[in-house]
């Protein structure tokens, strides 16, 4: 290492290292914890009730109903399940 | 939740035939505290709403999550479009949809056009417009709504304006990939670098 650079690094080094435990572990976990902290949902208290909207059992069933009723079809697509608390 | 909103429930019940489908499981992060308390959160989930005729032809699409007011507006637009195209034969439908979405794309849904007509004037005025624009909403769903309107709506419209008819089976993968940047075929849904290590984009 360049002597000048080494001296500069040593001069900049703190007298004491900060007391940060488990840095490698925290690098993985902190983002996840921050993400989880945004919404903490207790499934027992916040169940999803997709039944508030009269959902057909399938898209095909909705299309068949629409052919009778003349209404447009709405198909809601998601990753996960609409009757899951965390959708 | 959107589908518990009274006005949305009333509108959907009255004016639409509704169905939902799960495209694939969503990754879920769980923290078990060991005292019967569990914290759970889904990761990389996303949604899209398709509006179709009874024959399956896709008329419109709303990519991502939006707030109730925006969703009601889109429901109204879809209902109106469906009414206008109800009697349109399939042979003319592709052109009609391309024209509809192309026009909305050109107008940027009431905002400024993609290519300003008076470029020099635009370059002078735009900084002023940006300065007086209201600050972005701090509410996350409101922020998502703004983002979707400004960035995802144009991409979805471009998809629908290509002059070919789609049914859900033919548009879903493209919609999620091009507009929502979700590869439905990726077993890790983009999380492979975090789960397995390696470079961004690995599967």
């Amino acid at each position: 290492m360049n002597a000048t650079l080494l001296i500069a690094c040593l001069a900049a080094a703190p007298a004491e290292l900060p007391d940060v435990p488990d840095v490698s572990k925290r690098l993985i976990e902190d983002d996840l914890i921050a993400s989880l902290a945004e919404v903490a949902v207790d499934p027992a208290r916040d169940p999803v009730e997709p039944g508030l909207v009269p959902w057909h059992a399938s898209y095909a069933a909705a299309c068949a109903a629409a052919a009778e009723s003349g209404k447009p079809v709405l198909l809601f697509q998601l990753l996960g399940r609409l009757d899951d608390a965390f959708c | 939740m959107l589908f518990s909103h009274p006005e949305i429930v009333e509108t959907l019940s009255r004016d639409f035939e509704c169905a939902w489908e799960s495209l694939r499981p969503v990754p879920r992060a769980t923290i078990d505290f060991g005292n019967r308390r569990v914290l759970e959160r889904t990761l990389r989930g996303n949604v899209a709403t398709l509006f179709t005729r009874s024959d399956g032809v896709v008329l419109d699409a709303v990519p991502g999550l939006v707030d109730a007011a925006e969703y009601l507006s889109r429901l109204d637009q879809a209902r109106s479009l469906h009414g206008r195209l109800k009697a349109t034969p399939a042979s003319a439908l592709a052109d009609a949809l391309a024209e509809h979405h192309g026009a909305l794309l050109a107008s940027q849904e009431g905002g400024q056009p993609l290519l300003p007509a008076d470029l020099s004037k635009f370059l002078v005025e735009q900084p002023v417009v940006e300065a007086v624009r209201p600050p972005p909403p701090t509410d996350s769903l409101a922020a998502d709504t703004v983002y979707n309107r400004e960035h995802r709506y144009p991409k979805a419209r471009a998809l629908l304006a290509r002059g070919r008819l789609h049914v859900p089976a033919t548009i879903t993968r493209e919609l999620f990939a091009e507009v929502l940047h979700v590869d439905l075929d990726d077993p890790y849904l983009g999380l492979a670098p975090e789960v397995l290590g390696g470079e961004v984009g690995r599967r």
Side-chain angles (χ1 to χ4, degrees):
Chain A
M1 178 186 281
N2 179 289
T4 305
L5 181 59
L6 174 60
I7 293 169
C9 289
L10 291 173
E16 295 179 7
L17 289 174
D19 182 18
V20 180
D22 303 324
V23 171
S24 59
K25 190 162 164 292
R26 288 182 61 185
L27 285 173
I28 296 171
E29 293 175 355
D30 279 2
D31 282 348
L32 174 61
I33 291 171
S35 175
L36 288 168
E38 289 171 16
V39 177
V41 178
D42 181 343
R45 284 188 289 123
D46 298 288
V48 169
E49 296 182 22
L52 287 179
V53 171
W55 299 105
H56 289 279
S58 66
Y59 175 62
C63 286
E68 290 287 324
S69 67
K71 297 177 185 177
V73 180
L74 179 148
L75 176 61
F76 187 70
Q77 301 177 309
L78 72 160
L79 278 60
R81 294 184 56 82
L82 194 59
D83 50 7
D84 187 318
F86 308 105
C87 73
Chain B
M1 183 187 166
L2 205 60
F3 297 120
S4 299
H5 189 281
E7 204 172 339
I8 290 177
V9 172
E10 181 187 348
T11 302
L12 291 180
S13 302
R14 183 187 64 229
D15 298 331
F16 292 85
E17 303 290 355
C18 301
W20 64 271
E21 71 171 345
S22 172
L23 298 176
R24 56 164 294 157
V26 64
R28 179 175 300 184
T30 302
I31 296 179
D32 184 342
F33 292 94
N35 57 359
R36 301 182 187 176
R37 299 279 304 172
V38 176
L39 187 64
E40 288 197 56
R41 168 81 204 229
T42 57
L43 302 173
R44 298 291 169 97
N46 222 318
V47 305
T49 301
L50 299 181
F51 298 101
T52 82
R53 302 197 321 178
S54 61
D55 59 3
V57 172
V58 176
L59 301 176
D60 203 357
V62 182
L65 274 175
V66 295
D67 61 26
E70 180 70 17
Y71 206 68
L72 283 165
S73 173
R74 293 305 300 266
L75 292 181
D76 189 56
Q77 292 175 42
R79 183 181 52 219
S80 172
L81 180 61
H82 177 265
R84 291 204 314 273
L85 299 180
K86 211 169 187 175
T88 303
S91 58
L93 201 49
D95 287 342
L97 285 170
E99 184 182 341
H100 170 79
H101 290 291
L104 284 173
L105 191 58
S107 71
Q108 275 284 72
E109 310 223 26
Q112 60 197 63
L114 287 170
L115 294 174
D118 302 305
L119 186 57
S120 57
K121 188 163 169 294
F122 173 80
L123 289 173
V124 169
E125 295 176 356
Q126 191 58 17
V128 177
V129 170
E130 296 288 340
V132 299
R133 181 176 289 180
T138 54
D139 172 80
S140 61
L141 189 54
D144 281 345
T145 300
V146 171
Y147 181 85
N148 285 331
R149 194 186 296 133
E150 292 184 358
H151 299 279
R152 288 177 170 159
Y153 282 14
K155 291 182 180 178
R157 298 233 178 264
L159 197 57
L160 293 165
R162 287 179 188 170
R164 35 176 222 265
L165 295 180
H166 284 287
V167 292
T170 62
I171 199 175
T172 296
R173 262 178 175 66
E174 213 171 345
L175 181 68
F176 271 76
E178 291 187 23
V179 180
L180 296 169
H181 302 294
V182 174
D183 180 354
L184 294 175
D185 295 321
D186 177 357
Y188 293 99
L189 284 175
L191 291 173
E194 284 78 15
V195 176
L196 305 173
E199 71 283 4
V200 172
R202 72 158 294 177
R203 298 184 52 174

